[in-house]
Amino acid sequence: MTENSQQQNPAPITELPTQYAPAEVEGKLYERWVERGYFEADAKSDKPPFTVVIPPPNVTGSLHLGHAFEHTLIDALTRRKRMQGFETLWQPGMDHAGIATQNVVERELAKEGKSRHDLGREEFVERVWQWKAESGGQISGQMRRLGDGVAWSRERFTMDEGLSQAVQTIFKRLYDDELIYRAERIINWCPRCLTAISDIEVEYQDDEGELVSIRYGEGEASIVVATTRAETMLGDTGVAVHPDDERYKHLVGTEIVLPLTGRRIPVVADEHVDPEFGTGAVKVTPAHDPNDFEIGQRHGLPNLAVMDEHAIITAHGPFQGLDRLEARSAIVAALRADGRIVAEKRPYTHSVGHCSRCKTTIEPRLSMQWWVKVGPLAKAAGDAVRDGRVKIHPQEMEKRYFDWVDNLHDWCISRQLWWGHRIPVWYGPNGEVVCVGPDEQPPSDDGWTQDTDVLDTWFSSGLWPFSTLGWPEQTDSLAKFYPNSVLVTGYDILFFWVARMMMFGLYAMDGTPPFHTIALHGMVRDQFGKKMSKSFGNAVNPLDWMDSYGSDAVRFTLARGANPGVDVPIGEDWVQASRNFANKIWNATRFALMNGATIEGELPSAERLSATDRWILSRLNKTVAEVDAYYEDYQFSKLSDALYHFAWDEVFDWYVELSKTVFFGGGEAAKVSGRVLGEVLDVMLRLLHPVVPFVTETLWTTLTGRESIVIAEWPADSGFRDDAAEREIENLQRVVTEVRRFRSDQGLQPGQKVPARLTLDGTALAPHEAAIRQLLRLQPEGEAFSATATLPVAGATVALDLSGTIDVAAERKRLAKDLAAAEKEKAQAHGKLGNEAFLAKAPDNVVDKIRTRLAKAEEDIERITAQLDRLPQA
């Protein structure tokens, strides 16, 4: 565990301030790390590579708790790997965020009384680039606040020249391989943003609407269907029933009249219909519903669009020109007047999709779009996990992954926007279609025009693991750092981003997957487990917490809550507790430095060490091994807990306290303990560094005088174990803990001194008498000593004289009263639980509460009885 040689800190801190002030050190330390190039990665290095990409935040975004959580985990991994001697690349960058960015700039234009159409496409795109240069990317500065150890010189943007070349290259290859095509299909359409949007950009919420049951046809040739979107009936081209539904077999193959329109539409039999749901019959509107579109394809039903891109009714008749919601009310009223309404349920709460950007209700719409044929790509993505080339962690998330990739539909990649990668396809005057690669010249003859759509943002971010390394060029960085070692991301984008990276990486990189491991984490929630949202009033700006408590406190809180694949509750109280932990590290290290803790010289041999020294070194090495195992399993919560309890409980609360008598005594023993304490602090600070980088940097450079903990060696388990010393100190801890508990039970103040006789002869505790007396505030027994309470613990006996400290008679009276109350509570609980009639009627939660009360009463009786037994007779 000896530290490698580093240059001495040019300006080592010789004395620590009495209090830790994060705001005064964090920014300066981070800039020093960046200036010295600690986070940069050399593609020509002979060190083994470790690569992680940042899930690229939107250029419009700012640091939220989800970012802070994810970045903390990635930073911890990369800092440790850097210390382990890997050529470590944490690749930074941002996503151009098509819809979000276009909306931001359009809002800016609206303040000027303009729209993008007033500027035209070229000038509008220039305006977006201008906005990006002036206002975009504020998250970069916030990542520095958090301490992200990214290679800033390698920062990429999904619209920069290199990544744009990568996008055009893979589009061309997929097009030539007939894996990209153009077709008319149902998509999610936002009537406000006027574009197709991906599934991940649709937010579902429960809205209040109405469920209307409508009779189609006449007499026996009639069917009742129910809908929440009555306006779409104008586009119905059929009614579907299940093939085995006896109620409608006589109608299958016939036609019925569609109300209000007079059109005749067929009744078809389709297994998609659930005969148990509603009336067992569904209206089929192929141009305005994805399931209906599939039914229509199977039965050759026409696609009749009745709304334009603004969701305005275009069907001929009295409803033409109405907004969809206006038309809904008007159509229901007309059907009611015609006697067609069989039933109305209002309000009817149901799940409705909304555009995540503008909150407009999305409209399923038949539209000509560009698509990726995902079949072969998705199969390759599934095979890479099944054959073990890619591990998903935690493993139970594999099922969700397979459920997605094994049932993946073709992917709509075109968006009706101006900001983004424009589709590299040109159309000729005679119907020609040409896809142009990055090294090819587009047609320039008269009559040729480029496709006006841009690509889905997920298309370019799907190339992120290799486009950021220079692909399609065969760069040194690509050779060194691809594939990525691990992808750390939330399970919520397992389908949308991870699956796309898997498909594109395997396709573009000759079957080599983009990463070896996919480590999935959960979502950050409030302390009650509720989703954080501005609308809920529980959203938190992590920068506010950093201002109040320091970045280390925020990081440690997030890491300590991070169980693989599980959501993370977090509250301000927990951040305060982490701030207290940082302060504890600071104060204890300051005390240690003031009392001779050092790393100078060789660590003394085991023969020269006390049992206390051997105990802490044994525990230190076990902690190193434990933390390493947790890191390899992405168990951030467990490794943080292990470090917390080792540092606070074992080092600060026990070893430092036990060593005080040695330090105060001086001499050779104090020097030995000072060297041991220096070793423990050195290793402990290095173990803590990846999670709490700022406070550990300050303390470690002060302790060692070396350049930076960022480039220090990761601690190795030396193999030193001393189980006998661990048992010896565990017995000491039992004695101290038991006597402290007894003192507390008797109402003694922690600092109150009590005469005591310690019988330690014949036990391994004899050398620790001075430390035990110091920790327990026990005075030597005097001539008038009278043992009024005796505690046998761990083979030792502690006799206390309480005659001058407590009123024994009053204490016995108080305890007797408490015992009587506990016994009464026990009897009442027993009575209820023994009553069969009560148990038969009482709810389970009531019975559980009574069982809990019984258990508590029994514990109280045992505790109070023990206290009474220990008290002398009055």
Side-chain angles (χ1 to χ4, degrees), residues 58 95-101 103 188-190 193 195-204 352-362 411-417 419 454-459 461 492-493 496 500:
N58 287 352
D95 191 281
H96 66 278
I99 294 178
T101 306
N103 282 348
N188 300 312
W189 181 264
C190 176
C193 298
T195 182
I197 60 176
S198 66
D199 290 339
I200 199 172
E201 292 165 323
V202 178
E203 293 180 349
Y204 287 90
V352 177
H354 296 259
C355 174
S356 63
R357 303 300 175 191
C358 67
K359 311 309 176 186
T360 302
T361 300
I362 64 109
W411 170 21
C412 176
I413 56 172
S414 46
R415 298 290 180 267
Q416 289 65 55
L417 303 170
W419 172 245
V454 300
L455 288 164
D456 177 13
T457 296
W458 295 103
F459 191 94
S461 60
D492 58 323
I493 55 174
F496 305 105
R500 282 150 174 69

Side-chain angles (χ1 to χ4, degrees), residues 141 146 205 534 648 696 751 837:
L146 188 64
Q205 65 185 49
K534 290 180 180 178
W648 195 309
T696 52

Side-chain angles (χ1 to χ4, degrees), residues 599-720:
I599 64 164
E600 296 302 321
E602 291 296 321
L603 193 65
S605 62
E607 294 76 20
R608 296 176 57 201
L609 300 176
S610 69
T612 307
D613 294 333
R614 297 195 306 276
W615 161 72
I616 197 63
L617 290 174
S618 183
R619 289 296 307 130
L620 177 67
N621 278 283
K622 286 183 178 179
T623 301
V624 171
E626 188 178 13
V627 169
D628 275 334
Y630 286 142
Y631 262 115
E632 294 304 315
D633 200 34
Y634 305 99
Q635 298 279 0
F636 295 97
S637 177
K638 290 182 179 179
L639 73 88
S640 298
D641 256 354
L643 288 169
Y644 176 89
H645 290 297
F646 175 71
W648 195 309
D649 300 347
E650 297 186 281
V651 178
F652 303 147
D653 279 359
W654 286 105
Y655 184 73
V656 170
E657 292 300 318
L658 288 169
S659 300
K660 282 182 179 179
T661 54
V662 179
F663 287 137
F664 297 158
E668 184 62 23
K671 291 181 181 178
V672 170
S673 287
R675 180 63 187 89
V676 171
L677 183 52
E679 181 78 6
V680 171
L681 290 175
D682 170 24
V683 173
M684 184 194 75
L685 291 170
R686 283 186 278 149
L687 288 174
L688 282 164
H689 172 71
V691 182
V692 284
F694 295 107
V695 68
T696 52
E697 169 80 334
T698 306
L699 295 174
W700 189 85
T701 52
T702 304
L703 172 69
T704 66
R706 294 194 172 104
E707 181 182 344
S708 175
I709 197 172
V710 178
I711 54 172
E713 286 183 2
W714 181 252
D717 175 6
S718 71
F720 177 81

Side-chain angles (χ1 to χ4, degrees), residues 850-869:
I850 294 172
R851 289 196 178 109
T852 301
R853 283 168 49 195
L854 175 61
K856 175 68 166 53
E858 289 173 339
E859 288 176 8
D860 288 345
I861 291 168
E862 183 178 353
R863 175 180 55 81
I864 297 167
T865 301
Q867 289 176 243
L868 282 166
D869 289 344

Side-chain angles (χ1 to χ4, degrees), residues 197-254:
I197 60 176
S198 66
D199 290 339
I200 199 172
E201 292 165 323
V202 178
E203 293 180 349
Y204 287 90
Q205 65 185 49
D206 287 340
D207 286 359
E208 284 192 358
E210 61 180 343
L211 181 67
V212 183
S213 297
I214 310 167
R215 182 176 299 282
Y216 285 17
E218 301 290 346
E220 291 187 2
S222 68
I223 291 181
V224 175
V225 299
T227 182
T228 58
R229 301 165 66 217
E231 69 279 8
T232 62
M233 69 161 292
L234 300 176
D236 286 358
T237 57
V239 171
V241 298
H242 192 274
D244 299 330
D245 195 330
E246 295 294 336
R247 293 171 295 177
Y248 303 117
K249 278 197 171 182
H250 67 290
L251 292 177
V252 174
T254 68

